[in-house]
Amino acid sequence: MDLSKTSLGLWGDNPRKEILTEEFFEILRDEMKFDLLAVMIDRHDKDPTFQYKPKHVEQLLKLADPGSIEIVLTTWPYPDKKQIDKQCSQMRTLMKVGPVAGWEVDLEFNWKPHLVQGFHNLDEAGDYLVEKTKEIVQIQDARFEMTSFTQHVENSSRADVGPEADRLLVQAYSVNYRNNKMIGFNDMFGPGRMQKFTLDRTMTIPGIKTEKGPRLGVGLAAWRQRFAGYNPSEAMRVALQTTLMYQPIDIRWWSSKHIISIDPKRRRANPYALDFLKTLRPD
């Protein structure tokens, strides 16, 4: 597989005290040879208060050694004007710290019509989010990024926010357990088939195939990869090979807590995931 022109990264969701260590970045940079970390800086709920303050972003940038690993800040906005405004106020401050590469908004179950507050509808909320995000990323000439999942409206021909992004990350997770049932390797949502199903929908997003449209990135799974009759590396390889057929410029794995363990009391990582990812950029 030729990954020389593809950015490889993780979504970073370990506890902050683990991410902000030399050991974490040594694994990411020296062992995995990855070049991007998208850090989940809020709590995945409606609380608009970020867990990462300016001093923490300063630490991230220092550890990442800009030019070696890009740092993207990922948040979980709701279609709620007050919540968006509070996130924007904090992000302006964080963007002024240093060369952050992007602000990624994660639109999943948090971005639904019944959650709209302070706007007439979801489209109006989306327009507002796009306007504010684009304004703030200009502080560092950073990217406006968006991520969503397979069957969300933002991964379809009716996408509203995604077409305005600089980079669009689509989560194409093939895992062995979904919706309270086991998934077989050759099932519709198994490795390869899940990526095709997801990315065929992605190809209908307005502008995705144009020069001025968003650049394509893809999210892959680093957990629940033990499919009956197959080893985890086979599952991860098939998912990656199918993804590369769509020529993404960026591939990120969910998530760092499944790949990198720092605290010996909190061993949640899957050794097979780290072993596989270390093979992608051999010496």
Side-chain angles (χ1 to χ4, degrees):
M1 289 182 288
D2 182 9
L3 295 167
S4 59
K5 297 181 180 179
T6 308
S7 175
L8 300 181
L10 301 180
W11 276 292
D13 65 338
N14 294 61
R16 188 181 64 203
K17 66 179 181 179
E18 291 188 14
I19 290 180
L20 295 177
T21 62
E22 291 281 0
E23 184 179 356
F24 183 95
F25 277 88
E26 285 172 1
I27 294 171
L28 186 66
R29 178 180 55 244
D30 302 332
E31 295 186 28
M32 300 173 67
K33 298 181 175 63
F34 275 27
D35 54 73
L36 185 147
L37 181 68
V39 184
M40 316 301 291
I41 67 169
D42 64 6
R43 294 180 172 81
H44 286 208
D45 58 26
K46 205 171 181 181
D47 183 351
T49 305
F50 294 162
Q51 297 181 74
Y52 281 71
K53 308 302 181 186
K55 65 179 181 180
H56 302 126
V57 174
E58 185 176 3
Q59 286 179 268
L60 277 173
L61 293 171
K62 183 177 180 180
L63 287 163
D65 183 19
S68 174
I69 296 176
E70 287 192 318
I71 295 296
V72 173
L73 304 179
T74 303
T75 65
W76 189 261
Y78 280 70
D80 179 319
K81 189 174 185 301
K82 290 183 179 179
Q83 198 252 16
I84 292 173
D85 284 344
K86 288 180 180 178
Q87 286 205 348
C88 287
S89 176
Q90 294 169 90
M91 190 59 80
R92 282 191 183 90
T93 301
L94 297 186
M95 276 285 170
K96 293 176 182 176
V97 171
V100 172
W103 176 7
E104 178 186 48
V105 294
D106 191 340
L107 305 188
E108 300 189 41
F109 296 107
N110 53 310
W111 199 259
K112 296 284 187 177
H114 71 279
L115 295 171
V116 171
Q117 292 188 41
F119 302 104
H120 290 102
N121 51 47
L122 196 61
D123 284 348
E124 185 177 304
D127 292 344
Y128 188 76
L129 179 66
V130 168
E131 176 190 346
K132 293 299 181 181
T133 306
K134 284 189 171 183
E135 171 193 323
I136 292 169
V137 296
Q138 289 179 4
I139 294 171
Q140 289 293 343
D141 194 23
R143 297 186 299 268
F144 163 36
E145 302 184 351
M146 193 213 78
T147 183
S148 193
F149 63 89
T150 301
Q151 298 193 66
H152 194 282
V153 67
E154 287 294 338
N155 188 45
S156 76
S157 60
R158 297 182 292 120
D160 179 49
V161 176
E164 301 296 328
D166 299 309
R167 189 171 296 187
L168 179 63
L169 279 296
V170 185
Q171 301 161 22
Y173 301 151
S174 46
V175 291
N176 66 11
Y177 187 79
R178 182 183 294 275
N179 297 329
N180 299 314
K181 61 179 287 189
M182 296 303 296
I183 303 295
F185 192 93
N186 295 309
D187 287 351
M188 176 181 176
F189 296 137
R193 289 171 175 80
M194 181 57 165
Q195 288 72 44
K196 185 176 187 308
F197 176 60
T198 301
L199 294 168
D200 283 350
R201 284 175 57 92
T202 305
M203 291 299 105
T204 71
I205 294 175
I208 191 68
K209 297 180 181 179
T210 67
E211 187 63 32
K212 293 183 178 180
R215 302 297 89 190
L216 176 63
V218 180
L220 296 177
W223 87 106
R224 293 183 180 172
Q225 295 297 293
R226 296 186 185 278
F227 292 84
Y230 296 84
N231 64 51
S233 64
E234 289 178 278
M236 295 183 74
R237 186 169 300 279
V238 169
L240 177 57
Q241 288 173 333
T242 305
T243 294
L244 291 173
M245 293 170 60
Y246 293 82
Q247 299 181 310
I249 64 168
D250 182 336
I251 300 175
R252 300 176 194 177
W253 278 264
W254 180 267
S255 63
S256 66
K257 73 184 177 195
H258 297 291
I259 300 165
I260 301 174
S261 287
I262 303 299
D263 186 347
K265 297 178 181 178
R266 209 192 126 271
R267 291 292 180 188
R268 296 182 59 186
N270 302 314
Y272 66 74
L274 179 58
D275 289 344
F276 172 76
L277 296 176
K278 286 165 64 173
T279 70
L280 299 183
R281 286 185 171 155
D283 291 329

